[in-house]
Amino acid sequence: MLGVNNHGQTIVLACAFLSKETTESFVWMFEEFKKAMPGGEPKTIITDQDAAMDRAISIAFPTTFHRLCIWHITSKFSVKLPSDAYKEYWREFQKAIWDTDNKDEFDAKWNIVVTKAGLTDHPWLSSMFDLRESWVPAYARQFFAAGMSSSQRAEGSHGFFKQYISRRNSLMDFIIRFERALSHQREKELVADHVDAFEVAQCLLPMPMNKQMATLYTRTMFQKFEQELIQSTACFLELKTEDASKVVFNVSERKNWETRVAKVVYVKDSDHASCSCKRFEFVGIICKHILALFRRDQIEYMPDKYILKRWKRTAKSGLVSDANGNEIKDYADPGLLIKRSTMSRLASDVVEDALMSEEGCELLSETLKSLQVKLKLLKDGPSNNEVGESSSQTQYMKDPKRVRCKGRSKGVTGAKEKAMKRGIRHCRGCGHIGHDRRQCLALNTP
């Protein structure tokens, strides 16, 4: 199971081995996931059209919005539709799916395209239309999903982990390699935390709101916000209706030689603005249409209600508790983050070098065990019965030495290779060692 951190990076939330992809197996996996992350059910889960997983999600996460991957559905149009109909009407299907902001507009455009193509009785299109609330953006953008509408992050994660693991790995090798991949992934997050802790992003627009968000958002999220702020300067507001409770604006913008109009509604009693594009609800960042309204009303600073902690630099600074109510501490201190990143990189390099030979693995294992004992003594302090005693008297059990397999080991080198590594020269003229042809007395003596 994958997620997104406050830097917009893909992170691994959980993983499990399943012998069977049945509803019972998925329910067990989701229940274990809830035990490991007791912060409540997720807002949205994106999967492909797997019937067993669909039933399991409805059982384990009854309040979670289950969204179907839009890429898996749109990629099937070329296979499910007749070739002539696909070539002629695929562009219109795309506009109906992606260029509509409300449900009625999508239904109308979809029915027009289906009727023109003569596919009103097409079984697959009919089934996809019945499932439109699970994959069409006009229906699904009202649920927060960190801007994701497909499972492409999962596909990219598969490519990332394939660099470390393969089908030929044993279970133990898989665990070691998987942990190594996770450490590299977490190191990227630590680097991003370090950058946000000591640097402030440069603002392209010298506006108070832009400078405010540069100090609050992570760098990646600030860049997304700044793009919305820049695009808001090209939006034009038109007052549509106004009454005692609300004000409705039409916000138009010119894009790809087409004029698109979004509807912004401002409710007076709650002092809240919402947009038909649903970007704030879907991504968690205010949209350019509402920013155009703020500019019109001369609002210089972003109200707190439009700033999600989800995307702030301090997103991980709150209290996290486990299932028993105990606090789970994290490294929120920037100094600790730097030390952790440095030591993680050093430990990863040491493990890589040790895995090259059996002797290296044994040496590293013994060293780590000894270091673990010393760190424990450093943390707990010496006990009363240990005062005055010599540490050399303490004996620890060690793992038995591994028996070498028959045959020459890959790490064993011969005399010739050792001589080449030591830099011993070999004369090709007389056959002796210690000099070469240029210094050979037998060849250079007249």
Side-chain angles (χ1 to χ4, degrees), residues 128-392:
M128 291 300 100
F129 184 77
D130 294 338
L131 295 174
R132 61 190 182 278
E133 295 184 358
S134 301
W135 65 277
V136 175
Y139 283 86
R141 287 178 68 88
Q142 58 182 321
F143 300 98
F144 178 79
M148 296 183 294
S149 59
S150 66
S151 58
Q152 288 185 348
R153 284 183 180 267
E155 302 297 334
S157 181
H158 294 164
F160 169 76
F161 282 104
K162 284 182 180 179
Q163 301 175 12
Y164 299 87
I165 59 179
S166 66
R167 295 181 178 180
R168 296 187 297 270
N169 297 138
S170 64
L171 180 59
M172 196 62 194
D173 291 339
F174 171 83
I175 295 175
I176 295 174
R177 293 173 179 270
F178 187 78
E179 287 289 344
R180 189 183 308 161
L182 286 182
S183 64
H184 290 177
Q185 187 183 80
R186 290 164 182 163
E187 183 180 352
K188 295 180 181 179
E189 183 176 359
L190 291 174
V191 171
D193 288 338
H194 171 68
V195 171
D196 287 335
F198 294 96
E199 298 179 12
V200 178
Q202 297 294 327
C203 299
L204 299 179
L205 295 180
M207 300 172 61
M209 183 180 294
N210 204 30
K211 296 179 181 179
Q212 172 197 7
M213 304 313 295
T215 60
L216 295 178
Y217 278 154
T218 60
R219 173 162 297 194
T220 304
M221 294 302 114
F222 169 72
Q223 292 174 352
K224 293 184 178 181
F225 166 79
E226 192 175 42
Q227 289 300 317
E228 294 292 323
L229 188 61
I230 294 174
Q231 294 176 12
S232 68
T233 59
C235 296
F236 302 93
L237 275 78
E238 179 186 0
L239 178 61
K240 186 177 181 181
T241 59
E242 181 178 4
D243 53 28
S245 61
K246 64 181 179 180
V247 185
V248 180
F249 296 90
N250 282 341
V251 184
S252 59
E253 62 169 331
R254 190 76 173 174
K255 187 176 181 180
N256 297 332
W257 305 102
E258 294 182 0
T259 302
R260 301 196 59 180
V261 180
K263 184 172 70 174
V264 176
V265 179
Y266 172 72
V267 181
K268 298 179 180 179
D269 294 338
S270 60
D271 190 23
H272 182 77
S274 60
C275 183
S276 60
C277 72
K278 302 293 183 182
R279 179 173 178 80
F280 179 69
E281 292 81 359
F282 178 57
V283 182
I285 295 178
I286 206 74
C287 67
K288 53 192 170 185
H289 311 113
I290 298 180
L291 289 174
L293 176 62
F294 288 170
R295 191 180 71 253
R296 171 188 176 274
D297 295 340
Q298 298 182 358
I299 300 177
E300 294 186 350
Y301 294 95
M302 180 70 68
D304 293 339
K305 66 173 100 178
Y306 300 107
I307 305 175
L308 292 187
K309 185 181 179 181
R310 177 73 167 75
W311 303 128
K312 294 173 68 175
R313 301 183 178 192
T314 58
K316 296 181 289 186
S317 62
L319 178 64
V320 180
S321 303
D322 58 13
N324 298 324
N326 300 321
E327 179 183 356
I328 301 176
K329 297 183 179 181
D330 194 10
Y331 296 95
D333 186 2
L336 292 177
L337 294 176
I338 300 174
K339 295 178 182 178
R340 183 178 180 181
S341 178
T342 304
M343 289 187 292
S344 297
R345 187 181 299 108
L346 177 62
S348 178
D349 295 339
V350 172
V351 171
E352 293 284 351
D353 296 336
L355 291 175
M356 300 301 295
S357 64
E358 294 294 336
E359 293 84 355
C361 292
E362 294 178 3
L363 176 62
L364 179 60
S365 178
E366 293 176 359
T367 305
L368 289 178
K369 289 179 181 179
S370 175
L371 181 60
Q372 187 179 19
V373 173
K374 294 180 181 179
L375 291 175
K376 188 176 186 303
L377 293 175
L378 182 64
K379 177 182 177 182
D380 300 337
S383 59
N384 295 331
N385 57 356
E386 291 177 348
V387 177
E389 295 183 2
S390 175
S391 60
S392 60

Side-chain angles (χ1 to χ4, degrees), residues 22-28 30 51-61:
T22 59
T23 302
E24 292 76 14
S25 300
F26 287 126
V27 169
W28 171 84
F30 292 144
M53 186 176 293
D54 187 11
R55 291 190 296 268
I57 290 175
S58 62
I59 296 173
F61 303 118

